[in-house]
């Protein structure tokens, strides 16, 4: 079962996540000389990343990458790479090594092999994977009803190309295998609608119905959830 942190205010939750990430990264650096952090996109992470940017003293030993990416140019407002570069990788945090998902391939399916090689070269398990969740229970880009969902849940690969059934852009996503190849999973849940889905997810059921169950319905990797209204 996940460890829950409850907040009335999502900004306070975001600040607390940033502190928890910074502390965990510092411990990883002290132990292994390097720390790895994979970030989700969307709206929720923005305040976390803005707070985190100033929360660590030495970013030179941190590898930052993505949980998933929309297959758009990194200058596109929908790009998760753009989100991370504009919020986290500023000031001292610009010294971190960033490993993107998007490459020059024309689409996510053509780009997946090169991205897979880039991700295979990372020092697994990653230290922290920060997940979000959609109102449909998706996480990363593992969407219910997506034609690639079963493969994303069962593959031994690290990445998979996905065409979301009802969200813009082709995606490249970490697979369930990659998400569970981490030392810590952190999850942000804000608002009543997501809390309802979260409660359904932790009650158990088919992972295909609510893919967030990949993280929530397992005990191999410690999961911490920040829940705010
Ligand atoms: O690229 C993405 O969109 C994210 O990786 C995605 O999985 C996100 O975490 C959820 O869709 C929640 O998004 P919000 O935080 O915007 O609600």
């Amino acid at each position: 079962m996940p460890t829950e942190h409850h907040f009335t205010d999502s900004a306070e939750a975001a600040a607390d996540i940033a502190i928890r990430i910074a502390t965990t990264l510092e411990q990883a650096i002290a132990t292994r000389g390097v720390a790895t952090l994979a970030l989700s996109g969307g709206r929720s992470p923005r305040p976390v990343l803005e707070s985190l940017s100033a929360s660590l003293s030495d970013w030179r030993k941190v590898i930052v990458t993505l949980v998933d990416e929309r297959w758009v140019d990194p200058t596109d407002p929908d790009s998760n790479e753009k989100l991370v570069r504009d919020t986290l990788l500023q000031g001292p945090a610009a010294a971190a090594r960033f490993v993107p998902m998007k490459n020059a391939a024309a689409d996510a399916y053509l780009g997946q092999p090169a991205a897979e090689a880039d991700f295979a070269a990372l020092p697994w398990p990653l230290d922290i994977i920060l997940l979000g969740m959609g109102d449909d229970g998706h996480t990363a880009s593992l969407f219910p009803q997506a034609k690639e969902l079963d493969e994303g849940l069962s593959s031994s690969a690290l990445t998979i190309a996905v065409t979301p059934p009802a969200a813009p852009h082709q995606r490249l996503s970490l697979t369930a295998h990659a998400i569970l190849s981490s030392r810590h999973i952190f999850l942000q849940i804000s608002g009543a609608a997501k809390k309802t889905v979260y409660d359904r997810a932790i009650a158990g059921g088919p992972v295909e119905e609510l893919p967030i169950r990949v993280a929530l319905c397992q005990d191999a990797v410690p999961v911490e959830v920040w829940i705010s209204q």
Side-chain angles (χ1 to χ4, degrees):
M1 284 296 284
T3 300
E4 296 183 356
H5 307 283
H6 293 264
F7 289 83
T8 52
D9 177 52
S10 61
E12 286 179 17
D16 195 64
I17 295 170
I19 292 167
R20 186 83 178 85
I21 291 175
T23 304
T24 305
L25 293 176
E26 285 172 346
Q27 290 166 347
I29 292 168
T31 307
R32 288 177 292 278
V34 66
T36 48
L37 170 64
L39 299 167
S40 288
R43 296 179 304 275
S44 304
R46 180 173 289 273
V48 176
L49 302 183
E50 288 167 343
S51 176
L52 179 59
S53 183
S55 301
L56 202 69
S57 55
D58 187 356
W59 282 92
R60 291 171 299 174
K61 295 177 181 174
V62 181
I63 298 171
V64 177
T65 190
L66 294 169
V67 166
D68 67 343
E69 181 60 284
R70 297 85 178 277
W71 207 259
V72 296
D73 191 275
T75 59
D76 188 301
D78 287 348
S79 164
N80 290 343
E81 175 175 342
K82 177 175 174 38
L83 169 70
V84 172
R85 290 189 184 279
D86 290 351
T87 55
L88 176 64
L89 301 180
Q90 298 289 322
R97 175 183 158 213
F98 179 68
V99 177
M101 277 190 159
K102 175 72 169 59
N103 55 45
D107 67 40
Y109 298 85
L110 294 172
Q112 187 275 338
E116 181 75 13
D118 290 343
F119 274 66
L122 293 174
W124 297 87
L126 304 185
D127 290 295
I128 304 170
I129 286 187
L130 177 63
L131 295 179
M133 186 192 75
D135 289 349
D136 60 358
H138 83 261
T139 195
S141 284
L142 302 174
F143 287 88
Q145 313 305 323
K147 64 183 187 306
E148 300 91 352
L149 178 62
D150 287 346
E151 183 183 353
L153 295 174
S154 61
S155 171
S156 59
L158 297 167
T159 63
I160 186 169
V162 175
T163 301
H169 313 302
Q170 283 182 3
R171 310 289 183 95
L172 201 73
S173 178
L174 290 185
T175 58
H177 164 65
I179 290 169
L180 297 178
S181 300
S182 54
R183 294 187 175 92
H184 302 272
I185 293 173
F186 295 170
L187 170 64
Q188 273 183 282
I189 297 289
S190 57
K194 288 188 181 183
K195 179 63 166 61
T196 299
V197 174
Y198 168 78
D199 288 340
R200 273 181 56 212
I202 58 172
V207 67
E208 296 78 6
E209 178 194 20
L210 298 174
I212 190 62
R213 285 176 173 146
V214 163
L216 295 177
C217 299
Q218 57 81 36
D219 294 315
V221 181
V223 178
E224 295 186 53
V225 187
W226 280 259
I227 299 168
S228 59
Q229 292 170 8

